[in-house]
mmCIF file of all heavy atoms in Angstrom:
data_model
loop_
_atom_site.group_PDB
_atom_site.id
_atom_site.type_symbol
_atom_site.label_atom_id
_atom_site.label_comp_id
_atom_site.label_asym_id
_atom_site.label_seq_id
_atom_site.Cartn_x
_atom_site.Cartn_y
_atom_site.Cartn_z
ATOM 1 N N LYS A 32 -157.159 -14.961 115.715
ATOM 2 C CA LYS A 32 -156.574 -13.743 116.183
ATOM 3 C C LYS A 32 -155.048 -13.971 116.389
ATOM 4 O O LYS A 32 -154.211 -13.229 115.985
ATOM 5 C CB LYS A 32 -157.195 -13.387 117.515
ATOM 6 C CG LYS A 32 -157.444 -11.884 117.636
ATOM 7 C CD LYS A 32 -158.389 -11.607 118.784
ATOM 8 C CE LYS A 32 -158.002 -12.300 120.053
ATOM 9 N NZ LYS A 32 -158.907 -12.054 121.174
ATOM 10 N N LEU A 39 -147.953 -11.072 112.009
ATOM 11 C CA LEU A 39 -147.533 -9.660 111.942
ATOM 12 C C LEU A 39 -146.267 -9.455 112.630
ATOM 13 O O LEU A 39 -145.330 -8.818 112.132
ATOM 14 C CB LEU A 39 -148.597 -8.733 112.550
ATOM 15 C CG LEU A 39 -149.654 -8.266 111.586
ATOM 16 C CD1 LEU A 39 -150.563 -7.302 112.283
ATOM 17 C CD2 LEU A 39 -149.039 -7.636 110.356
ATOM 18 N N ALA A 53 -126.973 -4.952 107.130
ATOM 19 C CA ALA A 53 -126.315 -4.027 106.272
ATOM 20 C C ALA A 53 -124.969 -4.658 105.938
ATOM 21 O O ALA A 53 -124.044 -4.669 106.731
ATOM 22 C CB ALA A 53 -126.085 -2.734 106.988
ATOM 23 N N GLN A 54 -124.924 -5.147 104.704
ATOM 24 C CA GLN A 54 -123.625 -5.759 104.336
ATOM 25 C C GLN A 54 -122.729 -4.631 103.888
ATOM 26 O O GLN A 54 -123.053 -3.929 103.009
ATOM 27 C CB GLN A 54 -123.787 -6.716 103.112
ATOM 28 C CG GLN A 54 -124.845 -7.731 103.336
ATOM 29 C CD GLN A 54 -125.321 -8.233 102.027
ATOM 30 O OE1 GLN A 54 -124.982 -7.664 100.974
ATOM 31 N NE2 GLN A 54 -126.059 -9.320 102.018
ATOM 32 N N ASP A 123 -125.057 0.986 79.262
ATOM 33 C CA ASP A 123 -125.746 1.513 78.074
ATOM 34 C C ASP A 123 -125.455 2.999 77.888
ATOM 35 O O ASP A 123 -125.380 3.745 78.904
ATOM 36 C CB ASP A 123 -127.236 1.330 78.227
ATOM 37 C CG ASP A 123 -127.615 -0.094 78.032
ATOM 38 O OD1 ASP A 123 -127.498 -0.519 76.852
ATOM 39 O OD2 ASP A 123 -128.004 -0.794 78.947
ATOM 40 N N TRP A 124 -125.308 3.415 76.642
ATOM 41 C CA TRP A 124 -125.040 4.838 76.345
ATOM 42 C C TRP A 124 -126.040 5.774 77.114
ATOM 43 O O TRP A 124 -125.679 6.734 77.640
ATOM 44 C CB TRP A 124 -125.195 5.080 74.865
ATOM 45 C CG TRP A 124 -124.033 4.538 74.030
ATOM 46 C CD1 TRP A 124 -124.026 3.363 73.390
ATOM 47 C CD2 TRP A 124 -122.803 5.178 73.840
ATOM 48 N NE1 TRP A 124 -122.833 3.224 72.788
ATOM 49 C CE2 TRP A 124 -122.064 4.325 73.011
ATOM 50 C CE3 TRP A 124 -122.256 6.419 74.210
ATOM 51 C CZ2 TRP A 124 -120.768 4.614 72.567
ATOM 52 C CZ3 TRP A 124 -120.964 6.700 73.785
ATOM 53 C CH2 TRP A 124 -120.236 5.782 73.027
ATOM 54 N N GLY A 125 -127.324 5.381 77.012
ATOM 55 C CA GLY A 125 -128.353 6.236 77.598
ATOM 56 C C GLY A 125 -128.305 6.429 79.050
ATOM 57 O O GLY A 125 -128.670 7.425 79.593
ATOM 58 N N SER A 126 -127.738 5.397 79.767
ATOM 59 C CA SER A 126 -127.710 5.502 81.203
ATOM 60 C C SER A 126 -126.331 5.855 81.703
ATOM 61 O O SER A 126 -126.092 5.964 82.877
ATOM 62 C CB SER A 126 -128.099 4.134 81.829
ATOM 63 O OG SER A 126 -128.840 3.333 81.007
ATOM 64 N N ASP A 129 -125.765 9.011 84.256
ATOM 65 C CA ASP A 129 -126.321 8.805 85.620
ATOM 66 C C ASP A 129 -125.500 7.713 86.340
ATOM 67 O O ASP A 129 -125.100 7.918 87.473
ATOM 68 C CB ASP A 129 -127.773 8.272 85.467
ATOM 69 C CG ASP A 129 -128.735 9.376 85.101
ATOM 70 O OD1 ASP A 129 -128.497 10.462 85.629
ATOM 71 O OD2 ASP A 129 -129.685 9.120 84.335
ATOM 72 N N LYS A 130 -125.282 6.623 85.659
ATOM 73 C CA LYS A 130 -124.730 5.462 86.380
ATOM 74 C C LYS A 130 -123.306 5.733 86.751
ATOM 75 O O LYS A 130 -122.946 5.526 87.933
ATOM 76 C CB LYS A 130 -124.798 4.222 85.455
ATOM 77 C CG LYS A 130 -125.986 3.378 85.766
ATOM 78 C CD LYS A 130 -125.827 1.997 85.166
ATOM 79 C CE LYS A 130 -126.751 1.022 85.855
ATOM 80 N NZ LYS A 130 -126.892 -0.193 85.138
ATOM 81 N N LEU A 133 -122.855 8.269 89.679
ATOM 82 C CA LEU A 133 -123.071 7.721 91.016
ATOM 83 C C LEU A 133 -121.972 6.737 91.425
ATOM 84 O O LEU A 133 -121.615 6.698 92.631
ATOM 85 C CB LEU A 133 -124.441 6.996 90.978
ATOM 86 C CG LEU A 133 -125.612 7.988 91.055
ATOM 87 C CD1 LEU A 133 -126.969 7.223 90.771
ATOM 88 C CD2 LEU A 133 -125.701 8.673 92.382
ATOM 89 N N ILE A 136 -119.041 9.020 92.528
ATOM 90 C CA ILE A 136 -119.366 9.734 93.793
ATOM 91 C C ILE A 136 -119.352 8.795 94.984
ATOM 92 O O ILE A 136 -118.848 9.072 96.030
ATOM 93 C CB ILE A 136 -120.661 10.505 93.687
ATOM 94 C CG1 ILE A 136 -120.538 11.609 92.663
ATOM 95 C CG2 ILE A 136 -121.048 11.054 94.997
ATOM 96 C CD1 ILE A 136 -121.850 12.140 92.279
ATOM 97 N N GLU A 139 -117.281 3.716 94.348
ATOM 98 C CA GLU A 139 -117.210 2.299 93.965
ATOM 99 C C GLU A 139 -115.905 1.968 93.283
ATOM 100 O O GLU A 139 -115.304 2.812 92.610
ATOM 101 C CB GLU A 139 -118.346 2.028 92.915
ATOM 102 C CG GLU A 139 -118.924 0.714 92.994
ATOM 103 C CD GLU A 139 -120.249 0.717 92.240
ATOM 104 O OE1 GLU A 139 -121.171 1.438 92.586
ATOM 105 O OE2 GLU A 139 -120.295 -0.033 91.247
ATOM 106 N N TRP A 149 -115.371 14.495 74.217
ATOM 107 C CA TRP A 149 -116.769 14.864 74.040
ATOM 108 C C TRP A 149 -117.659 14.107 74.982
ATOM 109 O O TRP A 149 -118.869 14.076 74.854
ATOM 110 C CB TRP A 149 -117.252 14.447 72.562
ATOM 111 C CG TRP A 149 -116.765 13.112 72.143
ATOM 112 C CD1 TRP A 149 -115.616 12.775 71.584
ATOM 113 C CD2 TRP A 149 -117.478 11.875 72.336
ATOM 114 N NE1 TRP A 149 -115.519 11.442 71.372
ATOM 115 C CE2 TRP A 149 -116.698 10.840 71.792
ATOM 116 C CE3 TRP A 149 -118.734 11.559 72.877
ATOM 117 C CZ2 TRP A 149 -117.110 9.546 71.842
ATOM 118 C CZ3 TRP A 149 -119.154 10.223 72.863
ATOM 119 C CH2 TRP A 149 -118.335 9.265 72.341
ATOM 120 N N PHE A 150 -117.010 13.400 75.965
ATOM 121 C CA PHE A 150 -117.749 12.518 76.819
ATOM 122 C C PHE A 150 -117.424 12.746 78.299
ATOM 123 O O PHE A 150 -117.413 11.883 79.097
ATOM 124 C CB PHE A 150 -117.338 11.079 76.423
ATOM 125 C CG PHE A 150 -118.332 10.068 76.763
ATOM 126 C CD1 PHE A 150 -119.639 10.165 76.401
ATOM 127 C CD2 PHE A 150 -117.972 8.847 77.351
ATOM 128 C CE1 PHE A 150 -120.548 9.206 76.593
ATOM 129 C CE2 PHE A 150 -118.931 7.852 77.594
ATOM 130 C CZ PHE A 150 -120.196 7.994 77.176
ATOM 131 N N GLU A 201 -107.806 6.673 63.814
ATOM 132 C CA GLU A 201 -107.518 7.776 62.971
ATOM 133 C C GLU A 201 -107.404 8.977 63.828
ATOM 134 O O GLU A 201 -108.211 9.241 64.718
ATOM 135 C CB GLU A 201 -108.650 7.957 61.888
ATOM 136 C CG GLU A 201 -109.975 8.580 62.358
ATOM 137 C CD GLU A 201 -110.862 7.507 62.987
ATOM 138 O OE1 GLU A 201 -110.402 6.384 63.269
ATOM 139 O OE2 GLU A 201 -112.032 7.821 63.211
ATOM 140 N N SER A 329 -118.197 13.967 58.471
ATOM 141 C CA SER A 329 -116.740 13.954 58.687
ATOM 142 C C SER A 329 -116.268 12.629 58.103
ATOM 143 O O SER A 329 -116.936 11.630 58.081
ATOM 144 C CB SER A 329 -116.504 14.010 60.226
ATOM 145 O OG SER A 329 -116.969 12.795 60.770
ATOM 146 N N LYS A 331 -113.018 9.707 56.961
ATOM 147 C CA LYS A 331 -111.749 9.022 57.202
ATOM 148 C C LYS A 331 -111.617 7.934 56.116
ATOM 149 O O LYS A 331 -112.616 7.690 55.354
ATOM 150 C CB LYS A 331 -111.742 8.381 58.584
ATOM 151 C CG LYS A 331 -112.832 7.287 58.718
ATOM 152 C CD LYS A 331 -112.810 6.666 60.098
ATOM 153 C CE LYS A 331 -113.820 5.480 60.130
ATOM 154 N NZ LYS A 331 -113.986 4.911 61.406
ATOM 155 N N GLU A 337 -117.920 1.785 54.957
ATOM 156 C CA GLU A 337 -118.607 1.486 56.229
ATOM 157 C C GLU A 337 -120.062 1.937 56.205
ATOM 158 O O GLU A 337 -120.983 1.216 56.545
ATOM 159 C CB GLU A 337 -117.891 2.236 57.395
ATOM 160 C CG GLU A 337 -116.724 1.439 57.969
ATOM 161 C CD GLU A 337 -116.064 2.249 59.056
ATOM 162 O OE1 GLU A 337 -116.784 2.935 59.868
ATOM 163 O OE2 GLU A 337 -114.817 2.196 59.151
ATOM 164 N N TRP A 431 -112.597 1.050 68.311
ATOM 165 C CA TRP A 431 -112.093 2.399 68.456
ATOM 166 C C TRP A 431 -111.995 2.845 69.912
ATOM 167 O O TRP A 431 -111.476 3.874 70.148
ATOM 168 C CB TRP A 431 -112.981 3.376 67.681
ATOM 169 C CG TRP A 431 -114.428 3.338 68.175
ATOM 170 C CD1 TRP A 431 -115.387 2.484 67.822
ATOM 171 C CD2 TRP A 431 -115.050 4.303 69.101
ATOM 172 N NE1 TRP A 431 -116.573 2.812 68.454
ATOM 173 C CE2 TRP A 431 -116.401 3.848 69.181
ATOM 174 C CE3 TRP A 431 -114.528 5.384 69.781
ATOM 175 C CZ2 TRP A 431 -117.214 4.559 70.046
ATOM 176 C CZ3 TRP A 431 -115.458 6.063 70.629
ATOM 177 C CH2 TRP A 431 -116.754 5.629 70.756
ATOM 178 N N VAL B 339 -127.242 11.395 96.024
ATOM 179 C CA VAL B 339 -126.010 10.641 96.277
ATOM 180 C C VAL B 339 -126.038 9.818 97.592
ATOM 181 O O VAL B 339 -125.859 8.622 97.584
ATOM 182 C CB VAL B 339 -124.796 11.556 96.240
ATOM 183 C CG1 VAL B 339 -123.533 10.767 96.596
ATOM 184 C CG2 VAL B 339 -124.614 12.104 94.869
ATOM 185 N N TYR B 342 -128.251 6.893 97.045
ATOM 186 C CA TYR B 342 -127.697 5.816 96.340
ATOM 187 C C TYR B 342 -126.671 5.051 97.177
ATOM 188 O O TYR B 342 -126.684 3.790 97.188
ATOM 189 C CB TYR B 342 -126.977 6.391 95.101
ATOM 190 C CG TYR B 342 -126.259 5.395 94.218
ATOM 191 C CD1 TYR B 342 -126.973 4.670 93.282
ATOM 192 C CD2 TYR B 342 -124.895 5.182 94.385
ATOM 193 C CE1 TYR B 342 -126.266 3.720 92.500
ATOM 194 C CE2 TYR B 342 -124.215 4.296 93.622
ATOM 195 C CZ TYR B 342 -124.909 3.530 92.633
ATOM 196 O OH TYR B 342 -124.248 2.650 91.918
ATOM 197 N N THR B 347 -124.070 0.731 98.976
ATOM 198 C CA THR B 347 -122.923 0.243 99.760
ATOM 199 C C THR B 347 -123.316 -0.201 101.154
ATOM 200 O O THR B 347 -122.650 -1.095 101.697
ATOM 201 C CB THR B 347 -121.882 1.357 99.890
ATOM 202 O OG1 THR B 347 -122.509 2.505 100.435
ATOM 203 C CG2 THR B 347 -121.303 1.705 98.561
ATOM 204 N N MET B 348 -124.414 0.318 101.717
ATOM 205 C CA MET B 348 -124.747 -0.110 103.070
ATOM 206 C C MET B 348 -125.666 -1.289 103.054
ATOM 207 O O MET B 348 -125.525 -2.226 103.880
ATOM 208 C CB MET B 348 -125.411 1.050 103.841
ATOM 209 C CG MET B 348 -124.351 2.152 104.186
ATOM 210 S SD MET B 348 -125.066 3.679 104.758
ATOM 211 C CE MET B 348 -125.750 3.146 106.267
ATOM 212 N N SER B 395 -160.255 -7.511 119.366
ATOM 213 C CA SER B 395 -158.986 -6.873 119.589
ATOM 214 C C SER B 395 -158.753 -5.866 118.409
ATOM 215 O O SER B 395 -159.491 -5.857 117.442
ATOM 216 C CB SER B 395 -157.860 -7.914 119.554
ATOM 217 O OG SER B 395 -157.671 -8.358 118.188
ATOM 218 N N LEU B 397 -156.592 -5.653 116.186
ATOM 219 C CA LEU B 397 -156.242 -6.349 114.974
ATOM 220 C C LEU B 397 -157.473 -6.845 114.240
ATOM 221 O O LEU B 397 -157.642 -6.642 112.997
ATOM 222 C CB LEU B 397 -155.257 -7.471 115.230
ATOM 223 C CG LEU B 397 -154.463 -7.972 114.000
ATOM 224 C CD1 LEU B 397 -153.652 -6.808 113.440
ATOM 225 C CD2 LEU B 397 -153.587 -9.113 114.348
ATOM 226 N N MET B 431 -132.349 0.977 86.166
ATOM 227 C CA MET B 431 -131.214 1.542 85.546
ATOM 228 C C MET B 431 -130.066 1.708 86.554
ATOM 229 O O MET B 431 -128.916 1.440 86.248
ATOM 230 C CB MET B 431 -131.513 2.919 84.949
ATOM 231 C CG MET B 431 -130.406 3.619 84.321
ATOM 232 S SD MET B 431 -130.792 5.319 83.969
ATOM 233 C CE MET B 431 -130.268 6.107 85.515
ATOM 234 N N LEU B 432 -130.427 2.146 87.758
ATOM 235 C CA LEU B 432 -129.438 2.447 88.759
ATOM 236 C C LEU B 432 -128.814 1.221 89.380
ATOM 237 O O LEU B 432 -127.655 1.152 89.697
ATOM 238 C CB LEU B 432 -129.954 3.383 89.800
ATOM 239 C CG LEU B 432 -130.165 4.850 89.428
ATOM 240 C CD1 LEU B 432 -130.645 5.637 90.609
ATOM 241 C CD2 LEU B 432 -128.909 5.445 88.903
ATOM 242 N N ILE B 434 -129.357 -2.299 88.553
ATOM 243 C CA ILE B 434 -129.209 -3.542 87.877
ATOM 244 C C ILE B 434 -128.255 -3.442 86.728
ATOM 245 O O ILE B 434 -128.343 -2.543 85.888
ATOM 246 C CB ILE B 434 -130.578 -3.975 87.303
ATOM 247 C CG1 ILE B 434 -131.647 -3.978 88.408
ATOM 248 C CG2 ILE B 434 -130.476 -5.339 86.716
ATOM 249 C CD1 ILE B 434 -131.540 -4.922 89.504
ATOM 250 N N ASP B 435 -127.242 -4.330 86.741
ATOM 251 C CA ASP B 435 -126.301 -4.370 85.622
ATOM 252 C C ASP B 435 -126.514 -5.651 84.784
ATOM 253 O O ASP B 435 -126.072 -5.739 83.678
ATOM 254 C CB ASP B 435 -124.862 -4.435 86.156
ATOM 255 C CG ASP B 435 -124.449 -3.116 86.831
ATOM 256 O OD1 ASP B 435 -125.028 -2.081 86.445
ATOM 257 O OD2 ASP B 435 -123.713 -3.211 87.793
ATOM 258 N N TYR B 444 -137.289 -1.085 81.375
ATOM 259 C CA TYR B 444 -135.848 -0.561 81.221
ATOM 260 C C TYR B 444 -135.348 -0.954 79.819
ATOM 261 O O TYR B 444 -134.697 -0.173 79.166
ATOM 262 C CB TYR B 444 -134.956 -1.080 82.297
ATOM 263 C CG TYR B 444 -133.539 -0.622 82.116
ATOM 264 C CD1 TYR B 444 -133.170 0.713 82.148
ATOM 265 C CD2 TYR B 444 -132.484 -1.572 81.775
ATOM 266 C CE1 TYR B 444 -131.920 1.158 81.972
ATOM 267 C CE2 TYR B 444 -131.201 -1.114 81.557
ATOM 268 C CZ TYR B 444 -130.925 0.240 81.699
ATOM 269 O OH TYR B 444 -129.639 0.657 81.433
ATOM 270 N N LYS B 448 -134.110 1.929 77.557
ATOM 271 C CA LYS B 448 -132.680 1.804 77.179
ATOM 272 C C LYS B 448 -132.522 2.112 75.668
ATOM 273 O O LYS B 448 -131.690 2.916 75.279
ATOM 274 C CB LYS B 448 -132.333 0.435 77.522
ATOM 275 C CG LYS B 448 -130.847 0.154 77.452
ATOM 276 C CD LYS B 448 -130.589 -1.239 77.970
ATOM 277 C CE LYS B 448 -130.798 -2.267 76.815
ATOM 278 N NZ LYS B 448 -130.233 -3.523 77.217
ATOM 279 N N ASN B 452 -130.604 5.323 74.407
ATOM 280 C CA ASN B 452 -129.410 5.188 73.639
ATOM 281 C C ASN B 452 -129.372 5.967 72.334
ATOM 282 O O ASN B 452 -128.476 6.680 72.022
ATOM 283 C CB ASN B 452 -129.144 3.677 73.307
ATOM 284 C CG ASN B 452 -128.720 2.913 74.515
ATOM 285 O OD1 ASN B 452 -128.407 3.473 75.580
ATOM 286 N ND2 ASN B 452 -128.743 1.611 74.422
ATOM 287 N N PHE B 455 -129.328 9.737 73.059
ATOM 288 C CA PHE B 455 -128.046 10.201 73.532
ATOM 289 C C PHE B 455 -127.053 10.260 72.351
ATOM 290 O O PHE B 455 -126.327 11.191 72.224
ATOM 291 C CB PHE B 455 -127.503 9.215 74.586
ATOM 292 C CG PHE B 455 -126.209 9.525 75.167
ATOM 293 C CD1 PHE B 455 -126.078 10.502 76.194
ATOM 294 C CD2 PHE B 455 -125.006 9.051 74.647
ATOM 295 C CE1 PHE B 455 -124.897 10.845 76.727
ATOM 296 C CE2 PHE B 455 -123.811 9.402 75.163
ATOM 297 C CZ PHE B 455 -123.722 10.341 76.199
ATOM 298 N N LYS B 459 -124.791 13.347 70.653
ATOM 299 C CA LYS B 459 -123.338 13.412 70.605
ATOM 300 C C LYS B 459 -122.829 13.268 69.200
ATOM 301 O O LYS B 459 -121.611 13.254 69.007
ATOM 302 C CB LYS B 459 -122.798 12.270 71.478
ATOM 303 C CG LYS B 459 -123.055 12.440 72.924
ATOM 304 C CD LYS B 459 -122.028 13.419 73.549
ATOM 305 C CE LYS B 459 -122.270 13.610 75.059
ATOM 306 N NZ LYS B 459 -121.558 14.727 75.584
ATOM 307 N N SER B 463 -118.414 13.477 67.800
ATOM 308 C CA SER B 463 -117.479 12.369 67.547
ATOM 309 C C SER B 463 -117.881 11.561 66.332
ATOM 310 O O SER B 463 -119.038 11.205 66.173
ATOM 311 C CB SER B 463 -117.521 11.406 68.753
ATOM 312 O OG SER B 463 -116.998 10.154 68.437
ATOM 313 N N SER B 464 -116.952 11.383 65.436
ATOM 314 C CA SER B 464 -117.330 10.708 64.159
ATOM 315 C C SER B 464 -117.702 9.242 64.419
ATOM 316 O O SER B 464 -118.448 8.711 63.694
ATOM 317 C CB SER B 464 -116.124 10.799 63.222
ATOM 318 O OG SER B 464 -114.952 10.360 63.864
ATOM 319 N N GLN B 465 -117.174 8.639 65.534
ATOM 320 C CA GLN B 465 -117.551 7.275 65.793
ATOM 321 C C GLN B 465 -118.962 7.098 66.154
ATOM 322 O O GLN B 465 -119.566 6.146 65.781
ATOM 323 C CB GLN B 465 -116.668 6.772 66.942
ATOM 324 C CG GLN B 465 -115.460 5.910 66.568
ATOM 325 C CD GLN B 465 -114.337 6.846 66.224
ATOM 326 O OE1 GLN B 465 -114.355 8.002 66.580
ATOM 327 N NE2 GLN B 465 -113.364 6.349 65.509
ATOM 328 N N GLU B 468 -121.389 6.497 63.465
ATOM 329 C CA GLU B 468 -121.476 5.110 62.935
ATOM 330 C C GLU B 468 -122.247 4.237 63.852
ATOM 331 O O GLU B 468 -122.981 3.408 63.403
ATOM 332 C CB GLU B 468 -119.997 4.561 62.826
ATOM 333 C CG GLU B 468 -119.244 5.192 61.697
ATOM 334 C CD GLU B 468 -117.712 5.094 61.855
ATOM 335 O OE1 GLU B 468 -117.319 4.037 62.426
ATOM 336 O OE2 GLU B 468 -117.020 6.015 61.445
ATOM 337 N N LEU B 469 -122.070 4.417 65.180
ATOM 338 C CA LEU B 469 -122.890 3.602 66.085
ATOM 339 C C LEU B 469 -124.339 3.827 65.930
ATOM 340 O O LEU B 469 -125.124 2.922 65.960
ATOM 341 C CB LEU B 469 -122.536 4.013 67.579
ATOM 342 C CG LEU B 469 -121.184 3.576 68.139
ATOM 343 C CD1 LEU B 469 -121.006 4.275 69.468
ATOM 344 C CD2 LEU B 469 -121.198 2.065 68.349
#
Side-chain angles (χ1 to χ4, degrees):
Chain A
K32 220 167 49 180
L39 270 186
Q54 308 158 349
D123 286 292
W124 286 98
S126 339
D129 284 324
K130 264 195 159 166
L133 285 168
I136 292 167
E139 213 164 298
W149 48 272
F150 207 48
E201 77 277 11
S329 66
K331 62 179 185 186
E337 275 178 37
W431 58 277
Chain B
V339 175
Y342 178 84
T347 56
M348 289 167 66
S395 71
L397 198 60
M431 178 192 90
L432 287 183
I434 307 294
D435 294 329
Y444 178 64
K448 192 174 85 167
N452 286 349
F455 181 84
K459 291 281 181 195
S463 163
S464 49
Q465 261 83 18
E468 287 157 35
L469 284 173

